[in-house]
């Protein structure tokens, strides 16, 4: 067996399932702290096909310590404000000067992949993980068993690693809404720095339809097009231009472009609560551990925070089990609160009223990263 005798005498080894944002982040963080890391991606390429994403202050602190935040600031957009409109009328303008960034998902992914390679992470594509052994091994579809001091399931909301660990409890819940996410070319009418802001266009009658407008760079805008899943036409990819432009006539140009966008996807809101997050030497990070409704825009940020915190906590303890317990204790409250808060916001659609970013809602974004922050300050 491979039992750690401390981080000083030899480097520890991790096997990681899933090269999404959480898997890449935890791999980079561990490799930068002296671990050898092999990262398995079941697809034949490492890339993200998705649209856009927000990275809040909490995620940017974590990304700062793994050396990626500067590239995100350079390649993304810091929104000037987060403005909300209901039925075409402005209801609030919030978050002026708040440190958060918008970026396309393919760009964020590419930046993490190059940071992983630079940190010495071995990325293996076409490698499908089907489970984990809490004694410290990842199990591949071809029957291979790969041992590590730590094995990590970063394999998303449908996590095979999680589902293979019998001693974890799981609660999954689906919600009424879903969202079509597309990336469109940034049209002339939305050029200029005055458009570098998030605009959240809500309508609630006769049913909820909302367009979250997020510039992600000089050439792209991320459109999050939310609707109740019973509205089939508004829950379709490709975007139904007729039904969306009828509801949002002033956004007709953007809706037309959304109708022609390639690579968009629709997802239902869902939550997945797992406890505990580890079993022996097997641990879950990202959506595998805590998929949440997107209403807070914090799903990826919380996964990134927990991934970097995990690597730093492991550094503080020779014993993996002790580190995992301390790590979960540090992150659990913040994570559960983010899940509960985003579910509440999704169910009640509170953001439609405006002024939704209360101190309580901002708790997740303002999280201070107990394992990492002392190092930033030092
Ligand atoms: N916020 C963000 C987002 O991407 C979505 C939502 C809120 C940043 C959609 O994915 O409420 O659906 C939302």
């Amino acid at each position: 067996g491979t039992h750690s005798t401390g981080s000083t005498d030899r480097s520890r080894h991790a096997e990681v399932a899933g090269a999404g944002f959480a898997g890449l982040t935890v791999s980079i963080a561990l490799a930068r702290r002296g671990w050898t890391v092999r990262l398995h991606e079941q697809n034949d390429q490492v890339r993200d096909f998705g649209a856009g994403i927000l990275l809040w202050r909490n995620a940017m602190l974590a990304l700062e310590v793994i050396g990626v935040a500067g590239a995100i600031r350079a390649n993304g957009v810091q929104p000037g404000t987060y403005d909300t409109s209901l039925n075409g009328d402005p209801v609030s303008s919030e978050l002026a000067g708040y440190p958060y960034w918008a970026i396309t998902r393919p760009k964020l992914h590419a930046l993490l992949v190059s940071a992983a390679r630079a940190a010495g992470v071995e990325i293996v594509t076409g490698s499908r993980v089907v489970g984990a052994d809490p004694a410290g091994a990842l199990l591949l579809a071809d029957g291979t068993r790969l041992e590590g001091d730590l094995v990590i399931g970063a394999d998303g909301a449908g996590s095979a690693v999680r589902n293979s660990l019998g001693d974890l409890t799981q609660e999954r819940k689906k919600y009424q809404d879903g969202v079509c996410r597309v990336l469109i070319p940034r049209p002339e009418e939305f050029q200029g720095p005055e458009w570098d802001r998030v605009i959240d266009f809500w309508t609630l009658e006769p049913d909820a339809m909302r367009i979250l407008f997020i510039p992600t760079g000089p050439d792209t805008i991320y459109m999050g097009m939310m609707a109740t899943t019973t509205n089939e036409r508004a829950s379709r990819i490709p975007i139904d231009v007729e039904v969306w432009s009828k509801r949002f006539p002033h956004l007709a140009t953007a809706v037309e472009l959304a109708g022609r966008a390639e690579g968009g996807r629709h997802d239902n809101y869902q939550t997945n609560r797992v406890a505990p997050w580890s079993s022996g030497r097997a641990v879950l990070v990202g959506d595998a551990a805590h998929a949440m409704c997107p209403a807070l825009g914090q799903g990826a940020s919380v996964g990134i925070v927990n991934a970097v915190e995990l690597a730093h906590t492991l550094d503080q303890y020779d014993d993996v089990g002790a580190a995992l317990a301390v790590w979960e204790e540090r992150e659990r409250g913040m994570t559960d609160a983010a899940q509960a808060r985003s579910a509440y916001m999704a169910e009640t659609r509170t953001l439609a009223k405006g002024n939704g970013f209360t101190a309580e809602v901002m708790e997740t974004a303002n999280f201070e990263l107990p394992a990492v922050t002392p190092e930033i300050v030092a």
Side-chain angles (χ1 to χ4, degrees), residues 2 13-17 40 129-140 143-153 161 164-165 279-283:
T2 51
H13 180 70
E15 295 280 345
V16 184
H40 302 268
V129 174
V130 292
D133 179 346
L138 270 194
L139 312 172
L140 304 191
T144 309
R145 174 189 165 88
L146 295 168
E147 297 197 350
D149 297 281
L150 185 64
V151 297
I152 302 179
V161 170
S164 77
L165 298 169
S279 171
R281 292 175 177 274
V283 63

Side-chain angles (χ1 to χ4, degrees), residues 52 54 82 179 181 210 212 214 222 224 226 269 294-297:
L54 290 182
Y82 188 114
V179 59
R181 294 185 254 216
R210 160 199 186 192
L212 183 58
I214 306 184
Y222 161 41
M226 189 208 83
Y269 285 17
L296 258 180

Side-chain angles (χ1 to χ4, degrees), residues 225-246:
M225 305 172 80
M226 189 208 83
T228 165
T229 49
T230 52
N231 186 341
E232 284 169 26
R233 286 188 66 184
S235 304
R236 242 181 240 160
I237 294 285
I239 295 297
D240 186 323
V241 174
E242 193 190 329
V243 79
W244 282 99
S245 54
K246 195 167 168 223

Side-chain angles (χ1 to χ4, degrees), residues 242-267:
E242 193 190 329
V243 79
W244 282 99
S245 54
K246 195 167 168 223
R247 188 69 73 91
F248 295 96
H250 57 298
L251 293 176
T253 314
V255 170
E256 293 270 339
L257 291 166
R260 275 182 267 143
E262 278 171 37
R265 54 179 288 167
H266 177 269
D267 293 284

